[in-house]
Amino acid sequence: MTEPRTTRRRLRAVTTLGTLLLTAVIGCSAGRASPGPPEPEPVSPELAAAVFDTAWARVHQTYYDTTFAGNDWEAVRRDLLPAARDAGTADSLRAVITGMLDRLGDSHFMVIPEALADALDPDSLSGADGEPGDVGVELRVVEGALVVFRVRPGGPGDRAGVRPGWAVTRIGERSADRLLAVMEELPGDPGLARAQVAWAAESRLSGTIGDTVVARFDAGGETRELRLVPEPVPGTAIRFGNLPTMFANLRFREVPLADGCAGVIAFDVWMTPILPELDEAFHALRHCDGLVLDIRGNPGGVAGMVMAVSGYFMDERQPLGRLITRQNELTLVSMPRRVTPAGEAMAPYDGPLALLVDGQSMSTSEIFAAGMQESGRARVFGEITGGQALPALMERLPNRDVLQYVFANLVTPEGVRVEGRGVAPDQTVPLDRRTLLEGRDPALEAALRWIEARGDG
């Protein structure tokens, strides 16, 4: 592994994509054979105390809730500092700090081991393992199986014959059962565990550019073994703090209705490179009778983007949510779009707007869905979102691990907390394997029926 630069910039990410880091841990452990348990990494009492105190102090100084979820934070330090000093190994120390963070009950608190943090740092992502690949296959955990949810048209998976509803049974030498067993070991919300395992399996299935991935599927009762050749990941590559490289990718299409059309826009991450593509999609589809924004599987990104995106659909400035920190409060407000990129006057779209969400819609996706739903501007279809909505920052600890810590709370305009709760759809449409095998998308179908009724009800 390349030694990280001594002048590496301070790690920051005003985002809530931390779940992807845990996914990377699962993907690494699930995707590579291990020669045996690694040797414990020793840590001196002095360094352990410094690491613990740094993590404790960061929370003490920045956590939005000055009651610390009912914990006496000074007493927490007195209780746990001796255990940190006596930890003896880096893993044991991480367990002590994680136990401290767990007392707050919020997502996005995490200690990321140095080796993983270095491997995911943008300065060292082009290492010996090669560039990440893509086979154009999205997975979900459905009915206890790793099931193909979507297949990108023209991608390697599509060309090889992979179809929605197929269940992955083996990727290389790793059985799907072993991947699914990880869910039982992950702490926290079961829905988040399903999302992490699905993302990790996708990562393993996609391999690296130049690899050949051998995968076995249950194709509705028939076994298929396919050789998938990963290609470069489509979209615009984004390097953001200490997070893995992300790729901004937006797709749009027009769907005919019995009398008219609906426009469907889907994008993978809330990052500014999608905005020019969103302009293009918006102007290509705004003649339709209704629009669908598909943010299923979108784990989040820059929270401020909800103000720009909502402006395509809201004619007045309206609050979408509030970020509450120790020092102040930021209200996210829709910013109506009244001018095209060419400088021509325009009006926001005022037709029916449907949002598609699922358990892998997190963070900024949840902020947007909650705000648009509560304002009455959009109707939400699909499954409850992940409930992982809190903004977080990252900082190196004295032992070179990375602490990810929450610094703000998020509530809807009416004061409803999204964290740990998620956004409940107006119309719940569960995902099931049978309809996927039939080539159907029930959530999209429900949204299109609503649009056909011109958004009534």
Side-chain angles (χ1 to χ4, degrees):
M1 181 180 298
T2 304
E3 180 67 18
R5 300 175 187 173
T6 57
T7 58
R8 194 182 313 283
R9 59 188 172 275
R10 185 171 181 263
L11 302 173
R12 288 190 173 192
V14 185
T15 177
T16 45
L17 285 167
T19 53
L20 293 179
L21 292 168
L22 283 179
T23 298
V25 177
I26 302 168
C28 291
S29 63
R32 299 175 185 169
S34 173
E39 289 294 322
E41 179 185 350
V43 59
S44 70
E46 295 76 17
L47 178 58
V51 172
F52 176 87
D53 268 342
T54 301
W56 178 89
R58 184 57 60 215
V59 175
H60 187 254
Q61 294 161 2
T62 65
Y63 190 53
Y64 64 87
D65 178 6
T66 55
T67 73
F68 301 96
N71 291 281
D72 180 336
W73 206 240
E74 296 284 355
V76 168
R77 179 179 182 273
R78 290 194 298 271
D79 290 346
L80 295 180
L81 182 57
R85 283 201 185 100
D86 296 340
T89 67
D91 281 344
S92 296
L93 175 60
R94 290 170 193 135
V96 174
I97 297 173
T98 299
M100 174 185 71
L101 300 174
D102 285 347
R103 298 190 183 197
L104 299 170
D106 281 340
S107 69
H108 291 74
F109 276 111
M110 164 184 337
V111 179
I112 305 162
E114 176 189 5
L116 178 60
D118 286 346
L120 295 176
D121 192 289
D123 289 338
S124 58
L125 283 171
S126 57
D129 290 334
E131 294 295 326
D134 176 73
V135 296
V137 174
E138 285 186 54
L139 302 177
R140 297 290 188 274
V141 177
V142 180
E143 299 163 10
L146 277 170
V147 173
V148 176
F149 172 52
R150 287 189 285 210
V151 181
R152 177 167 54 82
D158 183 36
R159 297 197 303 270
V162 180
R163 294 294 175 260
W166 287 17
V168 178
T169 59
R170 180 170 291 274
I171 305 173
E173 299 302 316
R174 181 75 51 157
S175 73
D177 288 342
R178 292 179 67 187
L179 290 169
L180 290 164
V182 174
M183 288 192 304
E184 305 302 322
E185 302 173 15
L186 289 172
D189 179 70
L192 176 59
R194 287 193 296 272
Q196 290 170 336
V197 168
W199 277 323
E202 278 180 27
S203 176
R204 178 159 172 74
L205 189 66
S206 292
T208 57
I209 299 170
D211 284 349
T212 297
V213 179
V214 179
R216 190 175 300 162
F217 300 86
D218 171 5
E222 178 184 352
T223 298
R224 299 279 186 90
E225 186 167 286
L226 302 176
R227 298 173 67 86
L228 305 175
V229 181
E231 296 177 345
V233 181
T236 304
I238 302 165
R239 290 166 38 142
F240 195 79
N242 203 65
L243 293 169
T245 297
M246 293 170 284
F247 293 84
N249 185 26
L250 182 144
R251 308 160 303 281
F252 67 92
R253 59 192 173 102
E254 184 175 311
V255 178
L257 302 178
D259 181 20
C261 67
V264 181
I265 303 171
F267 54 96
D268 300 336
V269 68
W270 291 82
M271 293 290 177
T272 53
I274 73 163
L275 290 176
E277 298 176 69
L278 184 57
D279 271 325
E280 178 186 357
F282 178 76
H283 290 291
L285 299 173
R286 67 172 301 158
H287 67 281
C288 285
D289 303 290
L291 295 180
V292 179
L293 284 188
D294 187 349
I295 49 176
R296 290 175 295 183
N298 186 322
V302 177
M305 276 196 63
V306 303
M307 297 190 288
V309 175
S310 62
Y312 287 95
F313 312 104
M314 303 182 83
D315 195 41
E316 297 180 355
R317 292 170 62 92
Q318 294 189 44
L320 299 171
R322 290 180 291 134
L323 293 176
I324 304 167
T325 70
R326 179 80 67 86
Q327 292 80 20
N328 52 44
E329 181 175 308
L330 169 66
T331 299
L332 301 170
V333 179
S334 59
M335 306 292 288
R337 295 291 300 267
R338 305 199 185 281
V339 180
T340 70
E344 300 171 350
M346 62 168 277
Y349 183 77
D350 62 359
L353 175 64
L355 303 182
L356 305 185
V357 300
D358 65 7
Q360 292 179 209
S361 304
M362 298 180 182
S363 182
T364 306
S365 293
E366 297 183 276
I367 298 171
F368 183 77
M372 297 295 279
Q373 181 189 55
E374 199 170 89
S375 71
R377 180 59 189 93
R379 186 170 176 84
V380 181
F381 298 82
E383 298 178 303
I384 193 166
T385 63
Q388 308 290 310
L390 297 184
L393 295 168
M394 293 182 180
E395 181 173 318
R396 286 279 185 179
L397 296 171
N399 67 341
R400 302 289 301 163
D401 282 357
V402 168
L403 173 70
Q404 178 173 287
Y405 59 97
V406 170
F407 70 94
N409 193 15
L410 170 72
V411 297
T412 69
E414 295 183 3
V416 178
R417 197 164 188 257
V418 177
E419 173 68 15
R421 173 180 177 271
V423 179
D426 296 295
Q427 183 173 339
T428 300
V429 188
L431 192 64
D432 68 86
R433 191 179 173 200
R434 178 182 60 80
T435 53
L436 289 173
L437 285 168
E438 292 172 355
R440 297 173 49 210
D441 186 339
L444 177 59
E445 291 171 4
L448 295 176
R449 286 193 298 270
W450 176 71
I451 288 172
E452 279 194 302
R454 299 300 187 263
D456 294 334

